[in-house]
Amino acid sequence: MVDVPELRVENRRVSDPANAHRRASPANQSQPKPKPKPQQQKQHLSPSSSHPLPPPQVTQKPKQKTVEQRLNLRLRQELPCYVGTKWPIAQPHILRDILTSEDIQSLLREYQSKGRLSKSEDVESLCRKVRGHRHPSCIVVLAMLILVDKGYTIGEVLRDQIFDDNLPLVVVNHADPVIFSWDQSRKDWRQLVCFEDDDTWGVQAKLDICKWQWYLRVPRMKVSGPSFEAYEGKFGPDTVLPWSSKSKDGEVMKHDRTTGYGGYSAVYKCHIDERFHGFHEVLKKIGLGDGRGFFALKVLNTYTADEKAQISNLFQNERRQLSRFNGVVHNHLVTLLAAFEQENTEKNFFVFPWAECDLSAFWEKQKPKPGDAKWIAEQLKGLVSALNEIHNPAQNSQNLGTQVFGRHGDLKPDNILWYTPYKGDPKGILVVSDMGFTAVNSELSRSKQTNGKPRTPTYRPPELDIQGAKVTREYDVWSLGCIFLEMMTWILGGQRFNSEFKKSRMTPENGVNTSIFFTMVGGQPIVKKEVVQWIDTLRSHKRSTEFIHAVLRIVQDKMIIPRADRRSRVRDLKTEFDRINAKCKEKASYYTDPYKASPKAKSS
């Protein structure tokens, strides 16, 4: 974006003060004619009564709108409004559909018939210039003029060489505005003469037309290439983004309505009119259809100067990881649609498909139903497979020329999203999201990452509490094992049962009550006895099935193991959960019929 220098206002064309004085002189003003006295209306008597009847009503025909009024109204009615306002938003290709050649020519001829546009102007030639036939387009500029009732100045504006490519216009001195445009050939700012006639352009009209330019040129975000690469951009501080105030099914959107907060981020539900984005193909590719036009806007906020560098690093890392790992690569990974920054706002933005809720909210809102276990088995398999894609990103190894390994680093129910419907199935799909702490390293460095601040207190593995311990990919295995244990709890008793489980394992650690899954004894981590007892409770539950027993065995024996080097690799877990899912598909009794555990299967 070009910095605006100190601009010097050149000679301005204003009305002749003498003429202005003459116009204001009382001698030159016509005296008002006296109003005629209203004639007394005759009373009409009813044939059967002496009471007077009301006078006959005169029906007046509605005044026909001018072409300019009709086009002004059409722009306001056919365009969505920016969220929280009544200001319509547009893009050039949409304006081209609304302002057709026939409409523009009718408008110009109307101006000529009223003496507001010179009859020497060639209407058809002027129309071609506006729509960009062998010329730079001027369709946005014309829409701006129509919306401030100055469309008749289009000829003067074009003679001043103002086209859509010359936008944005810059205002200097809001009390007595002077408008400049960037001259690309001279690489300098140029004062625009066409706006200097004070008879035509008042202060408010100048300010309004410069405001309209931002609403009529909102950016069009779209993915690109065969791999559906996310849109990336950097916008100026005045750029109006394409969030509309109402969805196509009538839901009113609010710019200040958040759906969740993280440490430095907030998530908003927003709506983008289907004409304003290019995400249709990728949404279809990942099985989410059009998503009814709803999207999730994740905003990373910076509150202090010290946080600015930290947030910027988080933003850049998450952007890179989301480009590597997405729903095109694996259907159980979240898909990034756009990532951008806006100058002078200290904010960074991500755009994702809108999810119904996260896994925590899913457990609260949904009650387990008979047959859900089959869908759950498919989701467990998919989540493990998605994590394997992060841990062993084969598609990136070829690009980097060496084998690389990844780690998510922040797995928890809040970072697993539920999308519905998925490929027409109302049960939907669970996907892994939030890659802000994801790391990708070479084989030599993958186990040499030092432990840092716990990011998921409840689901963090013991190695984060051990001095000098290495953080490896098995960090994620522990976290996922805790989530799977809560999933089995939900199947058997819903969220109420999950709350009981959390309460049962709430113990003091370093003076603070916590629901983590391990405790330290003599400086060494062990799984909390309350967790072990809970697993036995689930096994002995009257509705526990062979499927639940199989998942509990893997969780206890291969995932929530205090020593990281003894946990299973996610690649091996993938094989285990593939087998479980296959059994669910083979026979319904595997996930529906009660299963009695043998004494050996119970925890010691």
Side-chain angles (χ1 to χ4, degrees):
M1 183 174 179
V2 182
D3 293 330
V4 180
E6 187 70 27
L7 301 178
R8 183 167 60 90
V9 179
E10 305 292 345
N11 294 329
R12 301 181 59 173
R13 182 151 53 91
V14 298
S15 302
D16 183 357
N19 290 335
H21 178 72
R22 283 186 62 192
R23 286 194 303 272
S25 174
N28 291 299
Q29 294 180 357
S30 59
Q31 295 297 324
K33 295 180 180 180
K35 295 182 179 180
K37 293 182 179 180
Q39 293 183 356
Q40 190 166 359
Q41 295 176 338
K42 294 181 179 180
Q43 291 184 340
H44 297 262
L45 299 179
S46 169
S48 61
S49 172
S50 61
H51 295 290
L53 294 175
Q57 299 294 320
V58 179
T59 304
Q60 293 184 346
K61 293 182 179 180
K63 190 175 180 180
Q64 190 173 5
K65 287 184 172 60
T66 64
V67 176
E68 183 181 54
Q69 290 172 334
R70 290 202 305 272
L71 292 180
N72 190 316
L73 186 62
R74 188 188 301 173
L75 287 169
R76 296 175 186 274
Q77 290 181 340
E78 294 189 15
L79 293 172
C81 290
Y82 180 67
V83 60
T85 75
K86 293 184 178 180
W87 284 73
I89 56 176
Q91 293 168 341
H93 73 282
I94 298 173
L95 293 175
R96 194 179 297 275
D97 292 338
I98 295 176
L99 302 176
T100 66
S101 296
E102 293 76 11
D103 291 326
I104 295 172
Q105 291 184 34
S106 296
L107 178 67
L108 297 176
R109 290 193 176 97
E110 178 179 84
Y111 290 148
Q112 286 182 328
S113 68
K114 294 183 177 182
R116 304 176 85 183
L117 180 68
S118 172
K119 291 188 177 182
S120 63
E121 295 275 11
D122 186 333
V123 168
E124 292 184 2
S125 175
L126 194 54
C127 177
R128 286 195 296 270
K129 288 181 180 179
V130 168
R131 290 184 59 84
H133 181 71
R134 297 183 180 178
H135 297 275
S137 171
C138 193
I139 197 76
V140 175
V141 174
L142 177 61
M144 291 160 54
L145 294 171
I146 291 174
L147 288 166
V148 295
D149 300 323
K150 307 293 182 188
Y152 58 89
T153 65
I154 186 64
E156 297 175 29
V157 169
L158 286 176
R159 279 190 288 277
D160 213 356
Q161 297 295 304
I162 304 174
F163 299 96
D164 295 347
D165 292 345
N166 302 115
L167 301 176
L169 307 178
V170 174
V171 182
V172 176
N173 185 12
H174 282 60
D176 186 16
V178 182
I179 301 178
F180 289 79
S181 175
W182 179 253
D183 191 322
Q184 188 64 33
S185 60
R186 295 192 304 164
K187 305 295 183 185
D188 197 5
W189 292 96
R190 178 172 61 91
Q191 182 178 335
L192 300 177
V193 178
C194 61
F195 295 114
E196 291 306 306
D197 182 357
D198 288 349
D199 284 340
T200 302
W201 290 96
V203 171
Q204 193 58 50
K206 291 180 183 180
L207 297 178
D208 283 349
I209 196 169
C210 289
K211 185 174 181 180
W212 272 117
Q213 66 182 332
W214 299 107
Y215 287 89
L216 301 181
R217 296 167 56 249
V218 301
R220 177 176 172 79
M221 302 179 190
K222 61 180 181 179
V223 294
S224 58
S227 58
F228 300 102
E229 296 174 12
Y231 174 91
E232 295 184 12
K234 189 171 185 177
F235 303 130
D238 296 318
T239 301
V240 174
L241 298 168
W243 323 134
S244 56
S245 61
K246 187 182 291 186
S247 69
K248 62 183 180 182
D249 54 3
E251 181 174 345
V252 176
M253 312 303 295
K254 293 185 178 180
H255 67 284
D256 58 349
R257 181 185 293 168
T258 58
T259 60
Y261 288 95
Y264 295 103
S265 64
V267 178
Y268 300 82
K269 183 180 183 180
C270 63
H271 182 268
I272 307 178
D273 187 283
E274 61 184 3
R275 299 169 293 176
F276 282 68
H277 67 81
F279 301 141
H280 309 89
E281 287 300 317
V282 68
L283 291 174
K284 183 179 178 181
K285 172 76 174 178
I286 61 177
L288 300 182
D290 63 0
R292 295 188 299 141
F294 294 122
F295 297 89
L297 178 66
K298 180 178 178 180
V299 184
L300 274 63
N301 299 296
T302 301
Y303 300 103
T304 67
D306 294 338
E307 292 173 351
K308 188 172 183 179
Q310 180 183 359
I311 295 300
S312 178
N313 290 336
L314 282 174
F315 173 73
Q316 296 300 338
N317 180 67
E318 186 164 6
R319 180 188 59 77
R320 285 193 300 270
Q321 306 311 333
L322 287 165
S323 297
R324 285 190 177 107
F325 312 114
N326 55 55
V328 178
V329 174
H330 195 288
N331 58 340
H332 286 269
L333 291 173
V334 73
T335 299
L336 176 66
L337 300 174
F340 58 91
E341 303 172 63
Q342 190 160 22
E343 295 175 0
N344 299 339
T345 64
E346 307 299 337
K347 293 180 180 180
N348 301 287
F349 302 84
F350 292 111
V351 178
F352 302 96
W354 174 251
E356 187 69 23
C357 61
D358 60 37
L359 185 55
S360 293
F362 174 86
W363 286 335
E364 291 178 3
K365 295 178 180 179
Q366 302 294 318
K367 292 183 179 180
K369 299 182 290 294
D372 277 355
K374 183 180 180 181
W375 176 78
I376 293 295
E378 183 74 32
Q379 302 313 304
L380 299 187
K381 169 201 167 187
L383 293 174
V384 171
S385 179
L387 186 58
N388 182 60
E389 194 65 45
I390 296 174
H391 283 198
N392 304 285
Q395 80 281 5
N396 294 295
S397 302
Q398 299 173 357
N399 298 335
L400 298 175
T402 183
Q403 180 65 40
V404 293
F405 299 88
R407 183 182 72 250
H408 185 281
D410 198 19
L411 285 175
K412 54 186 176 182
D414 293 356
N415 287 341
I416 296 176
L417 303 178
W418 178 46
Y419 285 96
T420 180
Y422 171 69
K423 293 185 177 179
D425 184 358
K427 289 188 175 181
I429 186 172
L430 298 178
V431 305
V432 176
S433 70
D434 204 328
M435 306 289 184
F437 294 103
T438 301
V440 175
N441 305 289
S442 68
E443 185 171 10
L444 293 176
S445 64
R446 61 182 167 135
S447 297
K448 295 183 180 180
Q449 307 304 307
T450 57
N451 56 307
K453 181 180 178 180
R455 302 183 186 105
T456 53
T458 300
Y459 303 93
R460 75 177 191 268
E463 50 264 36
L464 285 183
D465 288 18
I466 300 174
Q467 187 67 31
K470 308 300 180 186
V471 176
T472 66
R473 294 177 295 170
E474 282 61 57
Y475 177 115
D476 292 332
V477 172
W478 172 280
S479 300
L480 196 62
C482 297
I483 295 169
F484 283 6
L485 180 52
E486 289 185 328
M487 182 69 87
M488 296 302 101
T489 301
W490 176 83
I491 289 178
L492 289 173
Q495 185 59 16
R496 178 190 58 80
F497 217 23
N498 252 335
S499 298
E500 287 183 23
F501 178 32
K502 181 178 181 179
K503 184 177 180 180
S504 73
R505 67 175 191 272
M506 189 72 71
T507 58
E509 302 289 336
N510 298 322
V512 178
N513 279 341
T514 175
S515 60
I516 58 175
F517 288 69
F518 69 92
T519 188
M520 302 297 289
V521 177
Q524 296 299 317
I526 62 169
V527 177
K528 283 182 177 179
K529 70 178 188 306
E530 292 83 4
V531 174
V532 176
Q533 291 169 354
W534 190 262
I535 292 174
D536 285 342
T537 298
L538 297 183
R539 283 197 177 107
S540 59
H541 193 281
K542 62 181 181 181
R543 292 200 309 275
S544 187
T545 64
E546 191 175 356
F547 159 68
I548 293 175
H549 278 258
V551 173
L552 292 175
R553 176 185 58 78
I554 296 172
V555 167
Q556 186 171 25
D557 296 346
K558 302 187 178 185
M559 299 181 78
I560 54 172
I561 305 296
R563 283 186 52 173
D565 60 345
R566 293 184 179 177
R567 291 177 210 143
S568 288
R569 301 286 178 89
V570 72
R571 182 179 288 145
D572 298 327
L573 292 174
K574 179 179 179 299
T575 302
E576 296 263 18
F577 281 96
D578 284 350
R579 186 180 301 116
I580 288 176
N581 185 59
K583 287 185 177 179
C584 285
K585 290 182 177 180
E586 287 173 5
K587 56 178 182 177
S589 60
Y590 184 75
Y591 61 87
T592 58
D593 293 358
Y595 181 78
K596 188 175 181 181
S598 63
K600 293 182 180 180
K602 292 189 176 183
S603 308
S604 57

